Amino acid sequence: MENTLDNIKSVFTEEAKALLFVRDKISESFVKAVDLIASSAGKVVISGIGKSGLVGRKISATLNSTGTYSIFLHPVEAMHGDLGILKTGDVFIGLSNSGETSELNIILSSVKRAGCPVVCFTGNTDSTLARQSDIVIDTGVEKEACPLNLAPTSSTTALLCAGDALASALILKKGFQHEDFKRFHPGGLLGKRLSMKVEELMNPFDKTPAVNEKSDLATALKILDKKNLGAVFIVGDNKRLKGVITDGDIRRLIVEGHIKFDELVTSFMTINPLRAFYGSPVYDALNLMESKQITVLPVVDYEENVVGILHLHDILGKGELKFSGQ
């Protein structure tokens, strides 16, 4: 029996091959679809059923967040009144690997009567769906990554990637910018991270807990307590970052009985600590904090000189960056 780990890795390999296979088939029809959507005054209506429908919901969400108004329309609900959401000028995108999904194909004539051009993403360019579409995007794969070649795996990955490619092309076509992204994410942290730099939120050096590398531990503890930011930075000449001592470090030293107030701070500091760079995006610093489970970072210039301190509270509670999104 094939090793489980080898099987797991083979799925990644097969799906990567499938993406390259589909990429090599992409033609000018995809460009025409991008141009059609970019020039449309209406919305993008995406429809599919089963796994294709689930992927369609994600594609629709990605389009909405990148400046292209989109909705997902379930084919069955469409047959029971939701077709009324279609307006002349909307672009309809049908998703079906086989191209023979009856629930989807049955509504195509109504979609066209509503004045909506039809684009399809399908693995069968000779299917009913393809023949009724104005633009056909071939997303067919050679085989599924499923060992039985049955479960939608490579085909849905290819479809998802095609949707991402569509959104990315529309970003460039429409000149969508960071500020536009922020506008579409007014309550989320992500858009706000993109719009701010570390120096906009950090405390400057004069408010930063820092001591010279020749200081003793007692001096460092006084600064740590006075500034109350959870860490004290150890600096050398020109404020060059040498290390850091945190509240947690002090607690461990006390518990272990290793604390010696008259020894140099260099005996207790963590060397080469994590840091944020002046001029870098706030989201880089926040991602670093989240991944390493820390709450404070020294901010350095590109000569490694400390210019300030950035605390998690500054990011989440200062100015625009708040949990509430207000």
Side-chain angles (χ1 to χ4, degrees):
M1 181 177 291
E2 187 179 7
N3 180 277
T4 300
L5 181 59
D6 290 340
N7 176 260
I8 291 169
K9 290 183 177 180
S10 72
V11 173
F12 284 86
T13 300
E14 291 303 320
E15 296 206 7
K17 288 180 180 178
L19 289 180
L20 294 177
F21 179 76
V22 174
R23 181 201 65 182
D24 291 341
K25 295 193 294 180
I26 295 300
S27 66
E28 285 299 313
S29 62
F30 208 131
V31 177
K32 291 179 181 178
V34 172
D35 290 342
L36 174 66
I37 294 170
S39 62
S40 172
K43 58 187 175 292
V44 176
V45 180
I46 299 178
S47 189
I49 204 164
K51 305 298 188 297
S52 294
L54 294 173
V55 174
R57 292 179 188 276
K58 190 274 179 186
I59 296 173
S60 181
T62 300
L63 290 174
N64 277 319
S65 70
T66 52
T68 299
Y69 177 33
S70 173
I71 64 167
F72 177 80
L73 177 63
H74 195 286
V76 175
E77 298 298 334
M79 288 189 289
H80 292 275
D82 281 5
L83 276 171
I85 202 168
L86 294 172
K87 303 296 180 185
T88 300
D90 290 346
V91 177
F92 183 89
I93 299 180
L95 309 177
S96 172
N97 187 45
S98 69
E100 298 298 343
T101 304
S102 57
E103 296 92 339
L104 176 61
N105 291 340
I106 199 171
I107 67 173
L108 294 180
S109 58
S110 297
V111 170
K112 289 191 170 185
R113 283 198 299 271
C116 304
V118 176
V119 178
C120 76
F121 287 72
T122 182
N124 183 0
T125 57
D126 193 35
S127 61
T128 301
L129 174 61
R131 289 193 296 270
Q132 295 192 60
S133 297
D134 300 292
I135 299 175
V136 178
I137 310 297
D138 185 358
T139 57
V141 300
E142 293 181 292
K143 63 177 182 177
E144 300 289 1
C146 163
L148 301 177
N149 195 29
L150 293 174
T153 45
S154 296
S155 59
T156 48
T157 298
L159 183 60
L160 182 64
C161 189
D164 288 341
L166 177 65
S168 296
L170 287 167
I171 287 173
L172 296 176
K173 188 77 174 179
K174 294 183 173 185
F176 193 77
Q177 300 295 322
H178 283 177
E179 284 302 313
D180 299 312
F181 191 91
K182 178 184 175 184
R183 181 162 53 87
F184 285 112
H185 296 75
L189 289 174
L190 180 56
K192 294 172 181 178
R193 291 172 187 168
L194 290 172
S195 69
M196 304 186 78
K197 300 294 184 182
V198 165
E199 60 269 23
E200 295 181 71
L201 294 181
M202 74 176 190
N203 287 290
F205 187 80
D206 61 356
K207 295 183 179 180
T208 297
V211 297
N212 187 269
E213 61 185 328
K214 297 177 182 178
S215 302
D216 57 26
L217 183 59
T219 301
L221 288 178
K222 290 178 182 178
I223 296 296
L224 184 64
D225 180 63
K226 180 180 179 180
K227 299 292 186 179
N228 194 29
L229 289 174
V232 57
F233 306 138
I234 316 305
V235 299
D237 296 336
N238 298 320
K239 303 174 184 175
R240 187 177 296 273
L241 181 64
K242 295 292 184 178
V244 63
I245 298 175
T246 68
D247 284 341
D249 294 331
I250 299 301
R251 286 195 298 271
R252 283 189 292 272
L253 288 171
I254 292 173
V255 169
E256 295 168 3
H258 294 157
I259 196 161
K260 296 180 180 179
F261 297 105
D262 58 350
E263 282 198 23
L264 293 179
V265 288
T266 50
S267 299
F268 306 100
M269 72 183 187
T270 298
I271 62 173
N272 193 31
L274 298 170
R275 75 285 312 269
F277 286 94
Y278 188 96
S280 64
V282 169
Y283 66 78
D284 281 350
L286 184 54
N287 286 338
L288 183 59
M289 289 178 179
E290 290 173 341
S291 65
K292 300 300 182 181
Q293 294 295 293
I294 57 177
T295 59
V296 64
L297 286 171
V299 180
V300 301
D301 60 23
Y302 285 93
E303 293 182 347
E304 298 291 332
N305 300 322
V306 178
V307 295
I309 181 172
L310 184 67
H311 196 284
L312 181 63
H313 293 164
D314 297 319
I315 298 176
L316 300 181
K318 181 176 181 179
E320 290 187 315
L321 285 173
K322 296 179 181 178
F323 278 121
S324 66
Q326 297 301 313

